[in-house]
Amino acid sequence: MLSEEFVSAICGGPLSSNTAIAKDVGIYSHTLSPTYSVKSTFKKSSSPVNGLAVSETHVFAAQHEKAYVHVYSRLRGNQEAFVAFPERIRCLALAGDVLILGTTEGRLMLWETCTGRLISSPARHVQAVSCVAATPYHILTGSDDSDIHVWSLPQLLELDSPAEHEPQRSLSNHRAAITGLSMSPSVSSDTNFCVSASKDKSCIIWNYQTGDALRTLLFPSFPLCLSLDPSSRAVCVSCEDGSLYVTEIFAEKPLLGPGAEEATTVVQISSPFGATQPDVGPASCLSWSYDGTMLLTGHPKGQIMRWDVADNKSPVELANLNAVVTNVTFLSPFPMDRPTKAVNIIKPSQAERAYTLAVQFDAYSGSQTRFDSLLNSTGFPNEVMENAIAAFAQPTAESTSDKDLKKQNEELWEIINEQRALQKQTLQRYVEAKSSH
């Protein structure tokens, strides 16, 4: 049975003097199923909303109102590095081995954790970058200035690029600060989309490669956070009034696709999926389970609530961390199929011009192939040499396709020879008729 795990982070000190909760713990690694338990903890961290990123080997946590990122090793269970940056970090996200950071000055930074290379863009946002979302090809940055910039990840990582880094386009339909971004995993320019949330009480579904606003969802109060489910068929939004909305994008009346109503671009969302109690407070962060049947929400009173999406039952309190829960992130139950693993990170540096890749190659788990046996042998094995000599000594047997091709070729030559004979006979009769006159 696959186990489900998630990571949560808090911000600020304890809300009450609860001795049952360990002091100085800022990040928790939980096991949700088969039975709930706290698997491990990391100390001395105070991460803001959208300030946590988790890889297969590390946990990266931005620090509230500081220019620091704490790096924790999941393999060793301790804090590996304390990384300082030129500006205060507001949010971050991971794209492979590249950590993407948004700063309070409106700047975008990219840190290659395996080489230590640090790339910094000009301050294209006039206010702080509030959220970041990434795919292997694109980066989206939302800001308090209400704009969303779309960046090309390969262009930002290009070596020795002479041009100044610029976003590919800007999405500027919102009229207030951006509070959340979520992207679909598709890479096609026709089917990929993202959803943005803003304090103007709306969420917009975009085709971010073309810049088109596909649908606008209006809510009774402004959204605090949002997330697309793993299959990108529904979006969950948490609002300031404590309501939780689950909107299906491809339902009986889809918001996108061939069956969508083209004339209606604005949709009013008024029926919440559920609501939290006043003593719990609205969800400041949320995450879908890997199969999309469960939601976890983090709350300012310290609770982590579990919502059953399929049965739509009342939420269940999963844990109380006695501090403001700012981040909840589900981990994939399946190992990543990658040839390398970053066991140790390399601290960032803008001064370096030569970089060393520090990764560990994983053992190949596939079945032994003929190429593998040749690669691991000294010289040419006797069996290979004998097969090669036998192949040269024996005539190549004609396959069925070769026989058919040869037969078709012979039939074609027969037709050509008949045409030549007919042409020669016709020409001879013409010459005889002309000489008789």
PDB file of all heavy atoms in Angstrom, residues 289-317:
ATOM      1  N   SER A 289      -4.637  15.991  -2.352  1.00  0.00           N
ATOM      2  CA  SER A 289      -3.956  14.703  -2.318  1.00  0.00           C
ATOM      3  C   SER A 289      -3.641  14.263  -3.735  1.00  0.00           C
ATOM      4  O   SER A 289      -4.170  14.809  -4.717  1.00  0.00           O
ATOM      5  CB  SER A 289      -4.824  13.656  -1.619  1.00  0.00           C
ATOM      6  OG  SER A 289      -6.035  13.451  -2.336  1.00  0.00           O
ATOM      7  N   TYR A 290      -2.784  13.240  -3.856  1.00  0.00           N
ATOM      8  CA  TYR A 290      -2.308  12.835  -5.178  1.00  0.00           C
ATOM      9  C   TYR A 290      -3.444  12.322  -6.062  1.00  0.00           C
ATOM     10  O   TYR A 290      -3.422  12.520  -7.280  1.00  0.00           O
ATOM     11  CB  TYR A 290      -1.233  11.753  -5.030  1.00  0.00           C
ATOM     12  CG  TYR A 290      -0.549  11.406  -6.318  1.00  0.00           C
ATOM     13  CD1 TYR A 290       0.476  12.205  -6.828  1.00  0.00           C
ATOM     14  CD2 TYR A 290      -0.915  10.286  -7.059  1.00  0.00           C
ATOM     15  CE1 TYR A 290       1.110  11.902  -8.001  1.00  0.00           C
ATOM     16  CE2 TYR A 290      -0.284   9.969  -8.245  1.00  0.00           C
ATOM     17  CZ  TYR A 290       0.736  10.778  -8.713  1.00  0.00           C
ATOM     18  OH  TYR A 290       1.363  10.471  -9.895  1.00  0.00           O
ATOM     19  N   ASP A 291      -4.457  11.666  -5.466  1.00  0.00           N
ATOM     20  CA  ASP A 291      -5.564  11.152  -6.267  1.00  0.00           C
ATOM     21  C   ASP A 291      -6.731  12.130  -6.377  1.00  0.00           C
ATOM     22  O   ASP A 291      -7.748  11.829  -7.007  1.00  0.00           O
ATOM     23  CB  ASP A 291      -6.070   9.824  -5.690  1.00  0.00           C
ATOM     24  CG  ASP A 291      -6.511   9.954  -4.243  1.00  0.00           C
ATOM     25  OD1 ASP A 291      -6.454  11.074  -3.696  1.00  0.00           O
ATOM     26  OD2 ASP A 291      -6.898   8.931  -3.647  1.00  0.00           O
ATOM     27  N   GLY A 292      -6.621  13.306  -5.783  1.00  0.00           N
ATOM     28  CA  GLY A 292      -7.650  14.323  -5.905  1.00  0.00           C
ATOM     29  C   GLY A 292      -8.906  14.082  -5.107  1.00  0.00           C
ATOM     30  O   GLY A 292      -9.915  14.756  -5.331  1.00  0.00           O
ATOM     31  N   THR A 293      -8.893  13.166  -4.146  1.00  0.00           N
ATOM     32  CA  THR A 293     -10.090  12.875  -3.359  1.00  0.00           C
ATOM     33  C   THR A 293     -10.085  13.563  -2.002  1.00  0.00           C
ATOM     34  O   THR A 293     -11.087  13.509  -1.288  1.00  0.00           O
ATOM     35  CB  THR A 293     -10.220  11.358  -3.128  1.00  0.00           C
ATOM     36  OG1 THR A 293      -9.072  10.893  -2.408  1.00  0.00           O
ATOM     37  CG2 THR A 293     -10.312  10.623  -4.459  1.00  0.00           C
ATOM     38  N   MET A 294      -8.995  14.218  -1.647  1.00  0.00           N
ATOM     39  CA  MET A 294      -8.866  14.793  -0.310  1.00  0.00           C
ATOM     40  C   MET A 294      -8.168  16.140  -0.385  1.00  0.00           C
ATOM     41  O   MET A 294      -7.303  16.372  -1.234  1.00  0.00           O
ATOM     42  CB  MET A 294      -8.068  13.835   0.588  1.00  0.00           C
ATOM     43  CG  MET A 294      -8.043  14.187   2.050  1.00  0.00           C
ATOM     44  SD  MET A 294      -6.970  13.032   2.935  1.00  0.00           S
ATOM     45  CE  MET A 294      -7.667  11.459   2.431  1.00  0.00           C
ATOM     46  N   LEU A 295      -8.600  17.043   0.511  1.00  0.00           N
ATOM     47  CA  LEU A 295      -7.987  18.365   0.620  1.00  0.00           C
ATOM     48  C   LEU A 295      -7.458  18.555   2.036  1.00  0.00           C
ATOM     49  O   LEU A 295      -8.097  18.143   3.006  1.00  0.00           O
ATOM     50  CB  LEU A 295      -9.012  19.461   0.318  1.00  0.00           C
ATOM     51  CG  LEU A 295      -9.214  19.900  -1.125  1.00  0.00           C
ATOM     52  CD1 LEU A 295     -10.453  20.759  -1.231  1.00  0.00           C
ATOM     53  CD2 LEU A 295      -8.005  20.659  -1.634  1.00  0.00           C
ATOM     54  N   LEU A 296      -6.308  19.186   2.137  1.00  0.00           N
ATOM     55  CA  LEU A 296      -5.781  19.606   3.432  1.00  0.00           C
ATOM     56  C   LEU A 296      -5.691  21.121   3.439  1.00  0.00           C
ATOM     57  O   LEU A 296      -5.227  21.728   2.463  1.00  0.00           O
ATOM     58  CB  LEU A 296      -4.399  19.007   3.687  1.00  0.00           C
ATOM     59  CG  LEU A 296      -4.309  17.494   3.874  1.00  0.00           C
ATOM     60  CD1 LEU A 296      -2.877  17.095   4.202  1.00  0.00           C
ATOM     61  CD2 LEU A 296      -5.255  17.006   4.960  1.00  0.00           C
ATOM     62  N   THR A 297      -6.147  21.738   4.519  1.00  0.00           N
ATOM     63  CA  THR A 297      -6.093  23.190   4.652  1.00  0.00           C
ATOM     64  C   THR A 297      -5.386  23.552   5.945  1.00  0.00           C
ATOM     65  O   THR A 297      -5.556  22.904   6.981  1.00  0.00           O
ATOM     66  CB  THR A 297      -7.508  23.798   4.649  1.00  0.00           C
ATOM     67  OG1 THR A 297      -8.290  23.181   5.688  1.00  0.00           O
ATOM     68  CG2 THR A 297      -8.190  23.578   3.306  1.00  0.00           C
ATOM     69  N   GLY A 298      -4.576  24.601   5.892  1.00  0.00           N
ATOM     70  CA  GLY A 298      -3.898  25.123   7.066  1.00  0.00           C
ATOM     71  C   GLY A 298      -4.536  26.423   7.503  1.00  0.00           C
ATOM     72  O   GLY A 298      -4.930  27.257   6.668  1.00  0.00           O
ATOM     73  N   HIS A 299      -4.635  26.650   8.842  1.00  0.00           N
ATOM     74  CA  HIS A 299      -5.412  27.766   9.369  1.00  0.00           C
ATOM     75  C   HIS A 299      -4.586  28.606  10.357  1.00  0.00           C
ATOM     76  O   HIS A 299      -3.616  28.115  10.956  1.00  0.00           O
ATOM     77  CB  HIS A 299      -6.677  27.234  10.047  1.00  0.00           C
ATOM     78  CG  HIS A 299      -7.568  26.477   9.117  1.00  0.00           C
ATOM     79  ND1 HIS A 299      -8.612  27.061   8.443  1.00  0.00           N
ATOM     80  CD2 HIS A 299      -7.553  25.173   8.715  1.00  0.00           C
ATOM     81  CE1 HIS A 299      -9.207  26.162   7.689  1.00  0.00           C
ATOM     82  NE2 HIS A 299      -8.587  25.003   7.838  1.00  0.00           N
ATOM     83  N   PRO A 300      -4.976  29.872  10.544  1.00  0.00           N
ATOM     84  CA  PRO A 300      -4.200  30.766  11.423  1.00  0.00           C
ATOM     85  C   PRO A 300      -4.259  30.393  12.892  1.00  0.00           C
ATOM     86  O   PRO A 300      -3.444  30.871  13.674  1.00  0.00           O
ATOM     87  CB  PRO A 300      -4.832  32.144  11.163  1.00  0.00           C
ATOM     88  CG  PRO A 300      -6.186  31.863  10.618  1.00  0.00           C
ATOM     89  CD  PRO A 300      -6.066  30.598   9.848  1.00  0.00           C
ATOM     90  N   LYS A 301      -5.195  29.560  13.308  1.00  0.00           N
ATOM     91  CA  LYS A 301      -5.265  29.121  14.706  1.00  0.00           C
ATOM     92  C   LYS A 301      -4.447  27.860  14.960  1.00  0.00           C
ATOM     93  O   LYS A 301      -4.475  27.317  16.071  1.00  0.00           O
ATOM     94  CB  LYS A 301      -6.716  28.875  15.111  1.00  0.00           C
ATOM     95  CG  LYS A 301      -7.621  30.095  14.962  1.00  0.00           C
ATOM     96  CD  LYS A 301      -7.185  31.242  15.868  1.00  0.00           C
ATOM     97  CE  LYS A 301      -8.163  32.406  15.741  1.00  0.00           C
ATOM     98  NZ  LYS A 301      -7.762  33.544  16.613  1.00  0.00           N
ATOM     99  N   GLY A 302      -3.742  27.373  13.945  1.00  0.00           N
ATOM    100  CA  GLY A 302      -2.864  26.222  14.115  1.00  0.00           C
ATOM    101  C   GLY A 302      -3.404  24.912  13.618  1.00  0.00           C
ATOM    102  O   GLY A 302      -2.685  23.908  13.620  1.00  0.00           O
ATOM    103  N   GLN A 303      -4.661  24.852  13.180  1.00  0.00           N
ATOM    104  CA  GLN A 303      -5.248  23.582  12.766  1.00  0.00           C
ATOM    105  C   GLN A 303      -4.875  23.226  11.323  1.00  0.00           C
ATOM    106  O   GLN A 303      -4.715  24.107  10.471  1.00  0.00           O
ATOM    107  CB  GLN A 303      -6.777  23.617  12.879  1.00  0.00           C
ATOM    108  CG  GLN A 303      -7.312  23.728  14.291  1.00  0.00           C
ATOM    109  CD  GLN A 303      -7.479  25.168  14.721  1.00  0.00           C
ATOM    110  OE1 GLN A 303      -6.978  26.091  14.073  1.00  0.00           O
ATOM    111  NE2 GLN A 303      -8.205  25.381  15.813  1.00  0.00           N
ATOM    112  N   ILE A 304      -4.765  21.941  11.084  1.00  0.00           N
ATOM    113  CA  ILE A 304      -4.714  21.375   9.740  1.00  0.00           C
ATOM    114  C   ILE A 304      -5.964  20.520   9.595  1.00  0.00           C
ATOM    115  O   ILE A 304      -6.153  19.537  10.320  1.00  0.00           O
ATOM    116  CB  ILE A 304      -3.447  20.533   9.509  1.00  0.00           C
ATOM    117  CG1 ILE A 304      -2.195  21.414   9.605  1.00  0.00           C
ATOM    118  CG2 ILE A 304      -3.493  19.858   8.140  1.00  0.00           C
ATOM    119  CD1 ILE A 304      -0.899  20.651   9.428  1.00  0.00           C
ATOM    120  N   MET A 305      -6.851  20.916   8.676  1.00  0.00           N
ATOM    121  CA  MET A 305      -8.136  20.250   8.498  1.00  0.00           C
ATOM    122  C   MET A 305      -8.091  19.366   7.254  1.00  0.00           C
ATOM    123  O   MET A 305      -7.478  19.719   6.242  1.00  0.00           O
ATOM    124  CB  MET A 305      -9.256  21.275   8.362  1.00  0.00           C
ATOM    125  CG  MET A 305      -9.287  22.331   9.456  1.00  0.00           C
ATOM    126  SD  MET A 305      -9.631  21.668  11.091  1.00  0.00           S
ATOM    127  CE  MET A 305     -11.358  21.212  10.901  1.00  0.00           C
ATOM    128  N   ARG A 306      -8.774  18.227   7.341  1.00  0.00           N
ATOM    129  CA  ARG A 306      -8.882  17.298   6.224  1.00  0.00           C
ATOM    130  C   ARG A 306     -10.314  17.320   5.699  1.00  0.00           C
ATOM    131  O   ARG A 306     -11.271  17.150   6.452  1.00  0.00           O
ATOM    132  CB  ARG A 306      -8.497  15.891   6.670  1.00  0.00           C
ATOM    133  CG  ARG A 306      -8.543  14.849   5.538  1.00  0.00           C
ATOM    134  CD  ARG A 306      -8.159  13.481   6.044  1.00  0.00           C
ATOM    135  NE  ARG A 306      -9.132  12.995   7.022  1.00  0.00           N
ATOM    136  CZ  ARG A 306      -8.960  11.902   7.759  1.00  0.00           C
ATOM    137  NH1 ARG A 306      -7.827  11.227   7.660  1.00  0.00           N
ATOM    138  NH2 ARG A 306      -9.890  11.513   8.613  1.00  0.00           N
ATOM    139  N   TRP A 307     -10.452  17.520   4.390  1.00  0.00           N
ATOM    140  CA  TRP A 307     -11.745  17.586   3.725  1.00  0.00           C
ATOM    141  C   TRP A 307     -11.858  16.421   2.755  1.00  0.00           C
ATOM    142  O   TRP A 307     -10.944  16.183   1.956  1.00  0.00           O
ATOM    143  CB  TRP A 307     -11.916  18.898   2.955  1.00  0.00           C
ATOM    144  CG  TRP A 307     -11.710  20.136   3.767  1.00  0.00           C
ATOM    145  CD1 TRP A 307     -10.534  20.635   4.236  1.00  0.00           C
ATOM    146  CD2 TRP A 307     -12.719  21.055   4.194  1.00  0.00           C
ATOM    147  NE1 TRP A 307     -10.739  21.800   4.927  1.00  0.00           N
ATOM    148  CE2 TRP A 307     -12.071  22.079   4.923  1.00  0.00           C
ATOM    149  CE3 TRP A 307     -14.100  21.115   4.039  1.00  0.00           C
ATOM    150  CZ2 TRP A 307     -12.755  23.154   5.482  1.00  0.00           C
ATOM    151  CZ3 TRP A 307     -14.791  22.185   4.590  1.00  0.00           C
ATOM    152  CH2 TRP A 307     -14.126  23.183   5.306  1.00  0.00           C
ATOM    153  N   ASP A 308     -12.958  15.704   2.809  1.00  0.00           N
ATOM    154  CA  ASP A 308     -13.227  14.611   1.875  1.00  0.00           C
ATOM    155  C   ASP A 308     -13.998  15.171   0.688  1.00  0.00           C
ATOM    156  O   ASP A 308     -15.180  15.511   0.798  1.00  0.00           O
ATOM    157  CB  ASP A 308     -14.022  13.499   2.569  1.00  0.00           C
ATOM    158  CG  ASP A 308     -14.034  12.207   1.769  1.00  0.00           C
ATOM    159  OD1 ASP A 308     -13.983  12.301   0.532  1.00  0.00           O
ATOM    160  OD2 ASP A 308     -14.079  11.130   2.373  1.00  0.00           O
ATOM    161  N   VAL A 309     -13.342  15.286  -0.449  1.00  0.00           N
ATOM    162  CA  VAL A 309     -13.961  15.899  -1.624  1.00  0.00           C
ATOM    163  C   VAL A 309     -15.046  14.999  -2.205  1.00  0.00           C
ATOM    164  O   VAL A 309     -16.092  15.474  -2.658  1.00  0.00           O
ATOM    165  CB  VAL A 309     -12.887  16.210  -2.689  1.00  0.00           C
ATOM    166  CG1 VAL A 309     -13.520  16.842  -3.927  1.00  0.00           C
ATOM    167  CG2 VAL A 309     -11.828  17.131  -2.113  1.00  0.00           C
ATOM    168  N   ALA A 310     -14.834  13.689  -2.187  1.00  0.00           N
ATOM    169  CA  ALA A 310     -15.801  12.772  -2.807  1.00  0.00           C
ATOM    170  C   ALA A 310     -17.111  12.722  -2.039  1.00  0.00           C
ATOM    171  O   ALA A 310     -18.196  12.796  -2.625  1.00  0.00           O
ATOM    172  CB  ALA A 310     -15.186  11.375  -2.908  1.00  0.00           C
ATOM    173  N   ASP A 311     -17.052  12.620  -0.697  1.00  0.00           N
ATOM    174  CA  ASP A 311     -18.266  12.478   0.103  1.00  0.00           C
ATOM    175  C   ASP A 311     -18.802  13.803   0.631  1.00  0.00           C
ATOM    176  O   ASP A 311     -19.925  13.867   1.134  1.00  0.00           O
ATOM    177  CB  ASP A 311     -18.001  11.545   1.292  1.00  0.00           C
ATOM    178  CG  ASP A 311     -17.671  10.136   0.841  1.00  0.00           C
ATOM    179  OD1 ASP A 311     -18.069   9.785  -0.283  1.00  0.00           O
ATOM    180  OD2 ASP A 311     -17.006   9.407   1.595  1.00  0.00           O
ATOM    181  N   ASN A 312     -17.994  14.875   0.535  1.00  0.00           N
ATOM    182  CA  ASN A 312     -18.407  16.203   0.998  1.00  0.00           C
ATOM    183  C   ASN A 312     -18.895  16.169   2.454  1.00  0.00           C
ATOM    184  O   ASN A 312     -19.955  16.702   2.799  1.00  0.00           O
ATOM    185  CB  ASN A 312     -19.497  16.777   0.093  1.00  0.00           C
ATOM    186  CG  ASN A 312     -19.691  18.273   0.317  1.00  0.00           C
ATOM    187  OD1 ASN A 312     -18.890  18.924   1.003  1.00  0.00           O
ATOM    188  ND2 ASN A 312     -20.758  18.819  -0.236  1.00  0.00           N
ATOM    189  N   LYS A 313     -18.104  15.514   3.313  1.00  0.00           N
ATOM    190  CA  LYS A 313     -18.441  15.469   4.725  1.00  0.00           C
ATOM    191  C   LYS A 313     -17.851  16.670   5.452  1.00  0.00           C
ATOM    192  O   LYS A 313     -17.092  17.449   4.886  1.00  0.00           O
ATOM    193  CB  LYS A 313     -17.915  14.164   5.336  1.00  0.00           C
ATOM    194  CG  LYS A 313     -18.542  12.909   4.765  1.00  0.00           C
ATOM    195  CD  LYS A 313     -17.941  11.675   5.422  1.00  0.00           C
ATOM    196  CE  LYS A 313     -18.563  10.400   4.858  1.00  0.00           C
ATOM    197  NZ  LYS A 313     -17.964   9.180   5.467  1.00  0.00           N
ATOM    198  N   SER A 314     -18.201  16.821   6.700  1.00  0.00           N
ATOM    199  CA  SER A 314     -17.646  17.904   7.505  1.00  0.00           C
ATOM    200  C   SER A 314     -16.146  17.691   7.681  1.00  0.00           C
ATOM    201  O   SER A 314     -15.677  16.548   7.772  1.00  0.00           O
ATOM    202  CB  SER A 314     -18.329  17.960   8.879  1.00  0.00           C
ATOM    203  OG  SER A 314     -19.717  18.194   8.738  1.00  0.00           O
ATOM    204  N   PRO A 315     -15.363  18.766   7.725  1.00  0.00           N
ATOM    205  CA  PRO A 315     -13.912  18.607   7.849  1.00  0.00           C
ATOM    206  C   PRO A 315     -13.527  18.009   9.197  1.00  0.00           C
ATOM    207  O   PRO A 315     -14.223  18.175  10.196  1.00  0.00           O
ATOM    208  CB  PRO A 315     -13.399  20.035   7.694  1.00  0.00           C
ATOM    209  CG  PRO A 315     -14.536  20.903   8.111  1.00  0.00           C
ATOM    210  CD  PRO A 315     -15.770  20.182   7.681  1.00  0.00           C
ATOM    211  N   VAL A 316     -12.403  17.311   9.194  1.00  0.00           N
ATOM    212  CA  VAL A 316     -11.869  16.672  10.388  1.00  0.00           C
ATOM    213  C   VAL A 316     -10.541  17.326  10.735  1.00  0.00           C
ATOM    214  O   VAL A 316      -9.699  17.530   9.856  1.00  0.00           O
ATOM    215  CB  VAL A 316     -11.671  15.161  10.165  1.00  0.00           C
ATOM    216  CG1 VAL A 316     -11.058  14.509  11.389  1.00  0.00           C
ATOM    217  CG2 VAL A 316     -12.999  14.501   9.809  1.00  0.00           C
ATOM    218  N   GLU A 317     -10.363  17.680  12.017  1.00  0.00           N
ATOM    219  CA  GLU A 317      -9.095  18.266  12.448  1.00  0.00           C
ATOM    220  C   GLU A 317      -8.035  17.173  12.495  1.00  0.00           C
ATOM    221  O   GLU A 317      -8.140  16.215  13.246  1.00  0.00           O
ATOM    222  CB  GLU A 317      -9.241  18.928  13.816  1.00  0.00           C
ATOM    223  CG  GLU A 317      -7.944  19.589  14.281  1.00  0.00           C
ATOM    224  CD  GLU A 317      -8.094  20.299  15.612  1.00  0.00           C
ATOM    225  OE1 GLU A 317      -9.126  21.002  15.796  1.00  0.00           O
ATOM    226  OE2 GLU A 317      -7.193  20.161  16.465  1.00  0.00           O
TER     227      GLU A 317
END
